Amino acid sequence: MAIELTHLATLFHDDVMDEALVRRGSASANSRWGNSVAILTGDFLFAQASQILADLGPEAVRIQAKTFSRLVSGQMAETSARILIRTRWLLHAGDNGEDRLADRHLRPVRRPVFRCPQALADRIAVACEQLACLAVGPMT
């Protein structure tokens, strides 16, 4: 239950960050009710997941904290890359092919950012850790 609540919370936040209009074929929460409501809903779901995990013990809380850290780090990397890519596009709008300063400084951004497979792998790993923690006690 805590894993699914966490997953849903990330979807609310992702839709705001990505300015998504649609989620699974329906209007996203942020497009329907605004960013504030979508973020608060995601925060509420995170809080509910945290309460459930607190009842499971410190190991479950540690695993969730590690997951939050990875999720936020991934979102920061994606957002940074998006900003740099947009900046690169703006600097090159109407470019006549000359080598600009931006070309040299933004070169590392050229590789695409794929977070979805890693995010899914992280969720599966967390689910397995939490199930093991419940089944046999804290992992060392």
Side-chain angles (χ1 to χ4, degrees):
M1 179 70 134
I3 296 164
E4 186 56 29
L5 290 173
T6 299
H7 176 238
L8 287 173
T10 65
L11 296 179
F12 279 94
H13 288 168
D14 279 348
D15 286 348
V16 171
M17 294 299 296
D18 298 340
E19 299 174 5
L21 300 176
V22 177
R23 166 65 62 185
R24 297 181 181 158
S26 298
S28 62
N30 55 302
S31 69
R32 185 176 288 180
W33 296 294
N35 288 342
S36 294
V37 170
I39 291 293
L40 286 172
T41 303
D43 290 349
F44 177 78
L45 293 171
F46 275 132
Q48 295 302 304
S50 297
Q51 285 183 330
I52 291 169
L53 291 167
D55 291 339
L56 298 178
E59 184 65 14
V61 173
R62 184 194 64 75
I63 293 166
Q64 184 75 342
K66 188 167 81 174
T67 302
F68 281 143
S69 178
R70 290 168 82 171
L71 287 169
V72 172
S73 295
Q75 186 62 58
M76 287 171 58
E78 180 183 336
T79 301
S80 297
R82 188 179 317 128
I83 289 168
L84 289 174
I85 289 167
R86 284 181 184 167
T87 302
R88 180 182 175 86
W89 182 84
L90 289 172
L91 291 173
H92 287 279
D95 187 15
N96 61 5
E98 65 190 48
D99 182 28
R100 293 189 177 194
L101 187 61
D103 239 359
R104 291 188 294 274
H105 292 285
L106 299 179
R107 199 173 310 269
V109 179
R110 287 188 178 164
R111 86 178 159 77
V113 177
F114 296 107
R115 74 168 161 63
C116 293
Q118 184 60 48
L120 178 59
D122 287 346
R123 287 187 193 116
I124 291 169
V126 168
C128 291
E129 274 190 84
Q130 288 178 343
L131 288 173
C133 186
L134 289 172
V136 298
M139 298 168 58
T140 56

